[in-house]
Amino acid sequence: MPGPGPEGYDAAPFVPEKADLRRLREAAAGCRGCPLYRDATQTVFGTGEPSARVVLVGEQPGDQEDRQGEPFVGPAGGVLKRALAEAGIDPAEAYVTNAVKHFKFERQERGKRRIHKAPGLREISACKPWLASELRLIDPEVVVALGATAGKSLLGPSFRVTQQRGVPLPLPVPDGAGEGGQEGEGAGALVATIHSSAVLRADAAARAEAYAGLVSDLGVAARLLRG
């Protein structure tokens, strides 16, 4: 298996051609496409059925996801499942993944706690071949981009959640060749919203409003699926 050089930021050499989701997941376990693999416990690949009509794309694994090896199994995952159900989307029928497959963090000074650190554009770009392959295989009707990292991976670095959330957008067909790269527009739709972790980060006064906004945006995706 090839490995990156000192400045290697490209997962493409690790992505097998003509692979199904099971084979992609197996190959991703050995990805060395950017330096994040060095400190992460493991690759956290997407989960769900290949026939899923909706794909939920988050940012990156969190602490619990990194330890357990599955996306959205931590507190933010609980918020997302509850919001999906309220919006009319069965969480069990969605394919769930992240734009970046390794946990990026920094350690708290004089402690063992790992503090989440947002992925940079190079890491988003490096990991994009995995997301592109997932979307090609699943060919969903709707993709929900949860937060800025997911939106930038799918729509490019100019994406802003505050400006583009909650409205149906044409779903780009990513070519896996870098940040914002795409082959054109696919047949599906994309709906952007905040990441469910943003609800948890909000103070008590703003939390209910943030959660309601998440449910409202997911409701747009639900209506598209019923469409």
Side-chain angles (χ1 to χ4, degrees):
M1 184 70 71
E7 301 300 323
Y9 280 84
D10 184 11
F14 300 89
V15 181
E17 296 182 5
K18 300 179 180 178
D20 59 13
L21 281 175
R22 181 188 62 80
R23 177 72 185 97
L24 278 181
R25 186 175 292 107
E26 292 172 350
C31 184
R32 303 292 183 267
C34 84
L36 291 184
Y37 81 90
R38 297 172 185 164
D39 295 323
T41 304
Q42 59 192 311
T43 304
V44 180
F45 204 71
T47 60
E49 295 298 324
S51 59
R53 297 173 61 205
V54 58
V55 172
L56 309 171
V57 182
E59 179 191 73
Q60 65 165 354
D63 181 78
Q64 289 302 313
E65 289 81 3
D66 175 70
R67 298 179 191 278
Q68 298 184 41
E70 291 198 17
F72 286 94
V73 294
V79 172
L80 178 61
K81 288 178 183 177
R82 191 164 69 250
L84 284 167
E86 287 190 30
I89 298 174
D90 185 346
E93 296 181 359
Y95 183 90
V96 184
T97 191
N98 282 303
V100 174
K101 312 300 189 193
H102 284 113
F103 181 30
K104 182 178 182 179
F105 63 92
E106 56 189 8
R107 291 198 180 274
Q108 192 175 40
E109 187 177 357
R110 294 193 300 276
K112 295 183 178 180
R113 187 181 175 199
R114 303 186 300 175
I115 307 300
H116 163 277
K117 191 173 182 181
L121 291 179
R122 285 203 300 175
E123 291 145 352
I124 296 170
S125 177
C127 211
K128 190 169 182 180
W130 292 115
L131 180 59
S133 295
E134 288 175 291
L135 292 179
R136 285 198 195 96
L137 283 169
I138 298 168
D139 192 23
E141 296 173 36
V142 179
V143 171
V144 177
L146 298 158
T149 295
K152 289 176 181 178
S153 180
L154 292 163
L155 296 173
S158 63
F159 170 81
R160 297 292 182 272
V161 174
T162 53
Q163 298 173 9
Q164 295 170 277
R165 65 178 294 182
V167 295
L169 301 169
L171 175 62
V173 180
D175 62 9
E179 178 65 25
Q182 59 188 59
E183 296 172 346
E185 294 179 359
L190 183 147
V191 177
T193 186
I194 60 172
H195 196 283
S196 50
S197 63
V199 177
L200 296 173
R201 291 194 303 270
D203 60 36
R207 191 166 297 163
E209 182 179 356
Y211 180 74
L214 173 62
V215 173
S216 176
D217 293 341
L218 292 174
V220 175
R223 289 192 291 275
L224 289 170
L225 291 168
R226 292 194 296 267

